[in-house]
Amino acid sequence: MTNTPTLNGQDIGQAESAVRGVLNRLLASTGTQFHGWVILNLLGRGGSSLGEEELTGQIVHGLKIGEDAVHAAAAELAWHGLISRVTQAGEGTRLALTAAGAARFDQIQGGISEVTTRLYGGLPETDLAIAHRVLATVTERANAELAHTGPATAH
């Protein structure tokens, strides 16, 4: 009887590293850093402005990075004229794509669409749906682990 390999963290990590390498190459061709892309993507997909605190919270939670990294990425995007900051009384600071930012978002999104077709094309939809469910569950469980306030334990 042969043992069928099971999915584990190493498999997930290797796939993430390979896909991230492809994304980083695409981003480098546009002069965009990864954290900056995440901000452009959130703003571009949302279609409107987001509160800076809300955006920062989403990225800190999603990427498991500190707020300083998010603020630095936003400052770089603003310096390059890709996002604007608008402070509204009682609402705090909101971030939005500029016309140049929307163009950069579209450019990168187009490249990602092409790469996605090459990477995922030909894979059965049922396999992709199962992989999505498994990875969503693993992510949810890992986030729950991180939410525990007790010290990490090794078994």
Side-chain angles (χ1 to χ4, degrees):
M1 176 183 270
T2 61
N3 290 333
T4 303
T6 58
L7 181 68
N8 61 41
Q10 185 175 357
D11 298 327
I12 295 167
Q14 288 174 343
E16 191 276 336
S17 293
V19 173
R20 176 76 176 269
V22 173
L23 175 61
N24 285 341
R25 183 173 63 191
L26 173 63
L27 294 175
S29 73
T30 68
T32 308
Q33 299 294 322
F34 177 72
H35 294 154
W37 163 243
V38 173
I39 293 170
L40 292 175
N41 191 40
L42 281 173
L43 293 173
R45 287 187 179 273
S48 63
S49 67
L50 279 176
E52 188 168 21
E53 286 186 26
E54 177 187 354
L55 181 133
T56 299
Q58 286 182 30
I59 295 172
V60 165
H61 175 74
L63 296 183
K64 313 300 184 253
I65 61 174
E67 289 183 5
D68 289 346
V70 179
H71 294 302
E76 182 176 345
L77 292 173
W79 188 81
H80 287 289
L82 300 174
I83 64 170
S84 62
R85 283 189 155 103
V86 177
T87 303
Q88 298 174 338
E91 292 186 31
T93 302
R94 297 192 65 79
L95 302 176
L97 293 179
T98 62
R104 177 78 57 92
F105 168 77
D106 290 342
Q107 176 188 14
I108 295 170
Q109 194 59 44
I112 288 172
S113 292
E114 292 174 12
V115 168
T116 298
T117 298
R118 290 193 300 273
L119 297 180
Y120 295 92
L123 295 174
E125 288 294 322
T126 54
D127 289 356
L128 293 172
I130 291 168
H132 176 78
R133 284 194 307 273
V134 168
L135 292 175
T137 300
V138 169
T139 300
E140 182 180 314
R141 291 176 180 177
N143 283 330
E145 283 287 322
L146 290 170
H148 285 114
T149 58
T153 58
H155 296 278

